[in-house]
Amino acid sequence: MTTHLALLRGINVSGHNMIKMEALKTTLEAIGFQNVQTYIQSGNVFVDTEEENPAAVGFKIKQEIFKVFGYEVPVVVIGIADLKACFTNNPFLKETAVDSKKLYVAFVSTTLSSESINGLKISQFKPDEASIDTSRIYIKYAVGAGKTRFDQKYIEKKLNVTATIRNWNTVTQLLKIYENQ
């Protein structure tokens, strides 16, 4: 049995794509996922399954959400190693007195090359900063996530990927939950 973390993008945000977590849990259990556990209302779902392929798990979840709720919801599925890597590889954590409230991680659906950072043209968003690590983009917003154009839509368009962004507090809590599974 493998535990996966499905990161759903764009549910329960500003009144759009509203899905109650209990209904989502019941839906996923009905299609065979076990030990389904959600964290906050923004679409963080742990599932246990015999399926080892994260992309297959994400596709199954995406299909069922569309079938049951009628929403086209992008899903990025990650493992515990992905979350642990956030703490090891996030260059902004090495800075002294970094404000963790300005740190975010964009999880993307495919492996990125180091050249991808050039494709993002992050310099046009200064003083926001970003760094790429395979399937994650570490972001440090100068002012905040709500006041930048360097967001999930921009990342998806520039890199032709599915992306979903989580703040550092959520990433920290998700790792704690994963480790206690």
Side-chain angles (χ1 to χ4, degrees):
M1 195 69 62
T2 302
T3 300
H4 297 277
L5 172 57
L7 303 171
L8 286 58
R9 190 192 77 222
I11 67 164
N12 301 333
V13 178
S14 302
H16 295 89
N17 297 343
M18 300 303 292
I19 301 174
K20 294 203 178 292
M21 292 301 99
E22 192 57 41
L24 178 62
K25 180 180 179 194
T26 301
T27 298
L28 297 180
E29 288 171 343
I31 59 169
F33 290 112
Q34 298 175 14
N35 301 318
V36 178
Q37 180 181 358
T38 62
Y39 173 71
I40 63 178
Q41 298 295 310
S42 59
N44 306 291
V45 186
F46 292 92
V47 297
D48 287 349
T49 179
E50 294 296 330
E51 178 61 62
E52 294 183 13
N53 182 333
V57 171
F59 182 74
K60 188 174 182 179
I61 291 171
K62 180 179 178 172
Q63 274 189 313
E64 196 64 15
I65 289 172
F66 184 76
K67 180 178 153 190
V68 173
F69 301 103
Y71 303 136
E72 184 74 30
V73 175
V75 179
V76 176
V77 178
I78 63 173
I80 191 167
D82 292 309
L83 281 177
K84 286 182 176 179
C86 289
F87 291 84
T88 306
N89 301 337
N90 188 335
F92 304 117
L93 292 178
K94 296 173 179 76
E95 297 177 3
T96 55
V98 66
D99 183 357
S100 64
K101 291 179 181 157
K102 294 182 179 178
L103 298 183
Y104 290 75
V105 180
F107 296 93
V108 297
S109 59
T110 188
T111 302
L112 300 172
S113 67
S114 57
E115 291 80 37
S116 297
I117 195 73
N118 295 330
L120 284 176
K121 301 180 181 181
I122 186 64
S123 62
Q124 69 186 7
F125 297 102
K126 291 284 182 198
D128 293 340
E129 298 178 61
S131 176
I132 288 181
D133 171 33
T134 62
S135 58
R136 292 168 296 278
I137 302 170
Y138 304 106
I139 304 167
K140 183 171 79 171
Y141 291 121
V143 178
K147 300 187 188 234
T148 185
R149 291 181 302 119
F150 186 69
D151 58 10
Q152 155 266 316
K153 287 180 184 177
Y154 177 83
I155 291 168
E156 287 184 331
K157 183 178 179 184
K158 283 297 189 183
L159 299 181
N160 194 30
V161 297
T162 297
T164 186
I165 298 176
R166 298 297 186 270
N167 65 46
W168 193 250
N169 180 56
T170 298
V171 171
T172 302
Q173 293 305 314
L174 291 172
L175 181 59
K176 286 179 186 175
I177 293 168
Y178 227 140
E179 291 178 328
N180 292 321
Q181 294 260 341

